[in-house]
Amino acid sequence: MIVMSIAGVDPSAGAGVFADLKTFQAVGVYGTGIVTALTAQNPYKFFSTLPVSEDYISEQIDSVMDAYEVEYIKTGMLYSPEIIKLVSEKITEYNLKAVVDPVMVATSGGDLTREDIAKAFNKYLLPKSILTTPNISEAEKLTGLKISTKDDAIRATEKIKCDSLITGGHLDGINTINIDGETSIVKQELIETDNLHGTGCNLSAAITAYLAKGNDLHTSILNALDYVYDGIENGDHGTLIAKL
């Protein structure tokens, strides 16, 4: 089972392609990694971003697909509308099944993307994807809705242009899942930690890996939530994240 991450590089390896590859290996699939941008950051501070050209991203994807049979991919930091459009074209070209983590801002606070990124996700990528995993802030940008309650999150999932998981770390542990128009809530117990760097990357990567191992989408989401919690629990720091 071979999967692919299309994302940026975090040199501290807590997020981005490096983190995705570690998650793929931990879940038990072989991971390949396409680099969309370099960043200078660590878990506590963001410095800068240096994007890779669309042509070179395309060549990276083609080189992997030339050698391996890949069905499931995940996307992370895509940086620009042009890169988002390119990735959407590659999904069609290779008949890929994409889990989209609509990364816009680093956990450490840095803006990872250009403007109009939410519009590009909605126009090009989400309609071709099997799942997106926004946090509350990202879901607000994708939908134009303010999300303060469970009902707000449910309404937001109904506006997102593919199946979705709106993560609940900033909504009292309420994870809102919408698959084929059916909404379910997974309420998690909040525990204290500030070990949050890369958790969104790890979640979407784990979902991708569990899908590649033959699980259905809902089961893959539940397994991935467990996986991420276990990683957070083993950290040694102190904010709010949810436990299944």
mmCIF file of all heavy atoms in Angstrom, residues 85-106:
data_model
loop_
_atom_site.group_PDB
_atom_site.id
_atom_site.type_symbol
_atom_site.label_atom_id
_atom_site.label_comp_id
_atom_site.label_asym_id
_atom_site.label_seq_id
_atom_site.Cartn_x
_atom_site.Cartn_y
_atom_site.Cartn_z
ATOM 1 N N LYS A 85 -4.735 24.454 -8.160
ATOM 2 C CA LYS A 85 -5.277 24.062 -9.457
ATOM 3 C C LYS A 85 -4.474 22.926 -10.066
ATOM 4 O O LYS A 85 -5.026 21.953 -10.605
ATOM 5 C CB LYS A 85 -5.300 25.258 -10.404
ATOM 6 C CG LYS A 85 -5.931 24.952 -11.754
ATOM 7 C CD LYS A 85 -5.970 26.189 -12.643
ATOM 8 C CE LYS A 85 -6.595 25.861 -14.000
ATOM 9 N NZ LYS A 85 -6.590 27.045 -14.894
ATOM 10 N N LEU A 86 -3.151 23.007 -9.975
ATOM 11 C CA LEU A 86 -2.291 21.940 -10.504
ATOM 12 C C LEU A 86 -2.603 20.611 -9.833
ATOM 13 O O LEU A 86 -2.751 19.573 -10.504
ATOM 14 C CB LEU A 86 -0.829 22.305 -10.280
ATOM 15 C CG LEU A 86 0.171 21.161 -10.474
ATOM 16 C CD1 LEU A 86 0.238 20.741 -11.937
ATOM 17 C CD2 LEU A 86 1.553 21.543 -9.947
ATOM 18 N N VAL A 87 -2.699 20.620 -8.514
ATOM 19 C CA VAL A 87 -2.964 19.374 -7.782
ATOM 20 C C VAL A 87 -4.321 18.805 -8.178
ATOM 21 O O VAL A 87 -4.473 17.593 -8.353
ATOM 22 C CB VAL A 87 -2.855 19.605 -6.271
ATOM 23 C CG1 VAL A 87 -3.337 18.376 -5.496
ATOM 24 C CG2 VAL A 87 -1.425 19.946 -5.883
ATOM 25 N N SER A 88 -5.302 19.669 -8.355
ATOM 26 C CA SER A 88 -6.624 19.183 -8.768
ATOM 27 C C SER A 88 -6.551 18.523 -10.144
ATOM 28 O O SER A 88 -7.226 17.516 -10.396
ATOM 29 C CB SER A 88 -7.633 20.329 -8.777
ATOM 30 O OG SER A 88 -7.418 21.223 -9.855
ATOM 31 N N GLU A 89 -5.729 19.056 -11.024
ATOM 32 C CA GLU A 89 -5.563 18.462 -12.358
ATOM 33 C C GLU A 89 -4.871 17.102 -12.267
ATOM 34 O O GLU A 89 -5.213 16.171 -13.016
ATOM 35 C CB GLU A 89 -4.779 19.420 -13.251
ATOM 36 C CG GLU A 89 -5.552 20.684 -13.605
ATOM 37 C CD GLU A 89 -4.690 21.757 -14.255
ATOM 38 O OE1 GLU A 89 -3.440 21.605 -14.257
ATOM 39 O OE2 GLU A 89 -5.256 22.748 -14.755
ATOM 40 N N LYS A 90 -3.921 16.981 -11.362
ATOM 41 C CA LYS A 90 -3.225 15.702 -11.191
ATOM 42 C C LYS A 90 -4.149 14.646 -10.584
ATOM 43 O O LYS A 90 -4.040 13.451 -10.896
ATOM 44 C CB LYS A 90 -1.980 15.895 -10.317
ATOM 45 C CG LYS A 90 -0.870 16.680 -10.993
ATOM 46 C CD LYS A 90 -0.369 15.982 -12.243
ATOM 47 C CE LYS A 90 0.746 16.746 -12.915
ATOM 48 N NZ LYS A 90 1.202 16.083 -14.164
ATOM 49 N N ILE A 91 -5.060 15.076 -9.716
ATOM 50 C CA ILE A 91 -6.039 14.139 -9.159
ATOM 51 C C ILE A 91 -6.872 13.531 -10.277
ATOM 52 O O ILE A 91 -7.120 12.318 -10.308
ATOM 53 C CB ILE A 91 -6.937 14.862 -8.139
ATOM 54 C CG1 ILE A 91 -6.142 15.158 -6.857
ATOM 55 C CG2 ILE A 91 -8.182 14.034 -7.805
ATOM 56 C CD1 ILE A 91 -6.873 16.053 -5.879
ATOM 57 N N THR A 92 -7.291 14.369 -11.216
ATOM 58 C CA THR A 92 -8.058 13.869 -12.361
ATOM 59 C C THR A 92 -7.203 13.001 -13.267
ATOM 60 O O THR A 92 -7.633 11.917 -13.689
ATOM 61 C CB THR A 92 -8.628 15.054 -13.162
ATOM 62 O OG1 THR A 92 -9.505 15.808 -12.327
ATOM 63 C CG2 THR A 92 -9.384 14.565 -14.381
ATOM 64 N N GLU A 93 -5.994 13.456 -13.554
ATOM 65 C CA GLU A 93 -5.112 12.728 -14.472
ATOM 66 C C GLU A 93 -4.832 11.314 -13.996
ATOM 67 O O GLU A 93 -4.834 10.361 -14.792
ATOM 68 C CB GLU A 93 -3.798 13.498 -14.630
ATOM 69 C CG GLU A 93 -2.784 12.823 -15.551
ATOM 70 C CD GLU A 93 -1.496 13.615 -15.689
ATOM 71 O OE1 GLU A 93 -1.446 14.778 -15.209
ATOM 72 O OE2 GLU A 93 -0.534 13.070 -16.261
ATOM 73 N N TYR A 94 -4.587 11.163 -12.691
ATOM 74 C CA TYR A 94 -4.197 9.858 -12.159
ATOM 75 C C TYR A 94 -5.319 9.165 -11.376
ATOM 76 O O TYR A 94 -5.089 8.136 -10.744
ATOM 77 C CB TYR A 94 -2.967 10.012 -11.269
ATOM 78 C CG TYR A 94 -1.713 10.389 -12.036
ATOM 79 C CD1 TYR A 94 -1.136 11.642 -11.903
ATOM 80 C CD2 TYR A 94 -1.117 9.479 -12.912
ATOM 81 C CE1 TYR A 94 0.014 11.996 -12.607
ATOM 82 C CE2 TYR A 94 0.031 9.815 -13.613
ATOM 83 C CZ TYR A 94 0.587 11.070 -13.458
ATOM 84 O OH TYR A 94 1.726 11.406 -14.167
ATOM 85 N N ASN A 95 -6.515 9.727 -11.404
ATOM 86 C CA ASN A 95 -7.662 9.137 -10.716
ATOM 87 C C ASN A 95 -7.357 8.887 -9.241
ATOM 88 O O ASN A 95 -7.564 7.788 -8.711
ATOM 89 C CB ASN A 95 -8.077 7.823 -11.401
ATOM 90 C CG ASN A 95 -9.446 7.348 -10.948
ATOM 91 O OD1 ASN A 95 -10.303 8.148 -10.558
ATOM 92 N ND2 ASN A 95 -9.660 6.049 -10.982
ATOM 93 N N LEU A 96 -6.880 9.915 -8.569
ATOM 94 C CA LEU A 96 -6.479 9.825 -7.176
ATOM 95 C C LEU A 96 -7.638 10.164 -6.238
ATOM 96 O O LEU A 96 -8.549 10.897 -6.604
ATOM 97 C CB LEU A 96 -5.316 10.790 -6.913
ATOM 98 C CG LEU A 96 -4.063 10.544 -7.752
ATOM 99 C CD1 LEU A 96 -3.076 11.701 -7.596
ATOM 100 C CD2 LEU A 96 -3.396 9.223 -7.378
ATOM 101 N N LYS A 97 -7.580 9.622 -5.042
ATOM 102 C CA LYS A 97 -8.566 9.908 -4.000
ATOM 103 C C LYS A 97 -7.865 10.745 -2.935
ATOM 104 O O LYS A 97 -6.944 10.272 -2.265
ATOM 105 C CB LYS A 97 -9.118 8.613 -3.413
ATOM 106 C CG LYS A 97 -9.875 7.781 -4.446
ATOM 107 C CD LYS A 97 -10.282 6.435 -3.892
ATOM 108 C CE LYS A 97 -11.004 5.610 -4.965
ATOM 109 N NZ LYS A 97 -11.316 4.232 -4.493
ATOM 110 N N ALA A 98 -8.328 11.996 -2.784
ATOM 111 C CA ALA A 98 -7.591 12.970 -1.989
ATOM 112 C C ALA A 98 -8.288 13.316 -0.684
ATOM 113 O O ALA A 98 -9.484 13.616 -0.659
ATOM 114 C CB ALA A 98 -7.374 14.243 -2.797
ATOM 115 N N VAL A 99 -7.503 13.303 0.393
ATOM 116 C CA VAL A 99 -7.900 13.856 1.681
ATOM 117 C C VAL A 99 -7.198 15.202 1.810
ATOM 118 O O VAL A 99 -5.965 15.266 1.758
ATOM 119 C CB VAL A 99 -7.488 12.927 2.844
ATOM 120 C CG1 VAL A 99 -7.779 13.584 4.190
ATOM 121 C CG2 VAL A 99 -8.188 11.583 2.728
ATOM 122 N N VAL A 100 -7.965 16.263 1.952
ATOM 123 C CA VAL A 100 -7.417 17.625 1.919
ATOM 124 C C VAL A 100 -7.388 18.227 3.320
ATOM 125 O O VAL A 100 -8.439 18.415 3.944
ATOM 126 C CB VAL A 100 -8.244 18.521 0.981
ATOM 127 C CG1 VAL A 100 -7.761 19.975 1.055
ATOM 128 C CG2 VAL A 100 -8.161 18.003 -0.448
ATOM 129 N N ASP A 101 -6.196 18.509 3.799
ATOM 130 C CA ASP A 101 -6.041 19.343 4.987
ATOM 131 C C ASP A 101 -5.828 20.763 4.469
ATOM 132 O O ASP A 101 -4.757 21.082 3.953
ATOM 133 C CB ASP A 101 -4.832 18.874 5.795
ATOM 134 C CG ASP A 101 -4.587 19.707 7.045
ATOM 135 O OD1 ASP A 101 -5.459 20.539 7.385
ATOM 136 O OD2 ASP A 101 -3.534 19.528 7.669
ATOM 137 N N PRO A 102 -6.828 21.642 4.581
ATOM 138 C CA PRO A 102 -6.751 22.956 3.939
ATOM 139 C C PRO A 102 -5.894 23.937 4.741
ATOM 140 O O PRO A 102 -6.382 24.924 5.300
ATOM 141 C CB PRO A 102 -8.214 23.392 3.870
ATOM 142 C CG PRO A 102 -8.830 22.771 5.070
ATOM 143 C CD PRO A 102 -8.131 21.438 5.258
ATOM 144 N N VAL A 103 -4.605 23.645 4.787
ATOM 145 C CA VAL A 103 -3.675 24.409 5.617
ATOM 146 C C VAL A 103 -3.587 25.851 5.122
ATOM 147 O O VAL A 103 -3.358 26.107 3.945
ATOM 148 C CB VAL A 103 -2.279 23.759 5.588
ATOM 149 C CG1 VAL A 103 -1.290 24.608 6.367
ATOM 150 C CG2 VAL A 103 -2.339 22.347 6.145
ATOM 151 N N MET A 104 -3.753 26.794 6.045
ATOM 152 C CA MET A 104 -3.646 28.213 5.712
ATOM 153 C C MET A 104 -2.728 28.967 6.667
ATOM 154 O O MET A 104 -2.041 29.901 6.265
ATOM 155 C CB MET A 104 -5.034 28.856 5.698
ATOM 156 C CG MET A 104 -5.983 28.218 4.687
ATOM 157 S SD MET A 104 -7.617 29.005 4.659
ATOM 158 C CE MET A 104 -8.609 27.684 3.956
ATOM 159 N N VAL A 105 -2.708 28.542 7.932
ATOM 160 C CA VAL A 105 -1.894 29.211 8.940
ATOM 161 C C VAL A 105 -1.180 28.159 9.770
ATOM 162 O O VAL A 105 -1.770 27.152 10.161
ATOM 163 C CB VAL A 105 -2.755 30.105 9.854
ATOM 164 C CG1 VAL A 105 -1.904 30.762 10.933
ATOM 165 C CG2 VAL A 105 -3.470 31.172 9.037
ATOM 166 N N ALA A 106 0.097 28.381 10.044
ATOM 167 C CA ALA A 106 0.862 27.459 10.877
ATOM 168 C C ALA A 106 0.385 27.512 12.323
ATOM 169 O O ALA A 106 -0.108 28.538 12.793
ATOM 170 C CB ALA A 106 2.351 27.801 10.820
#
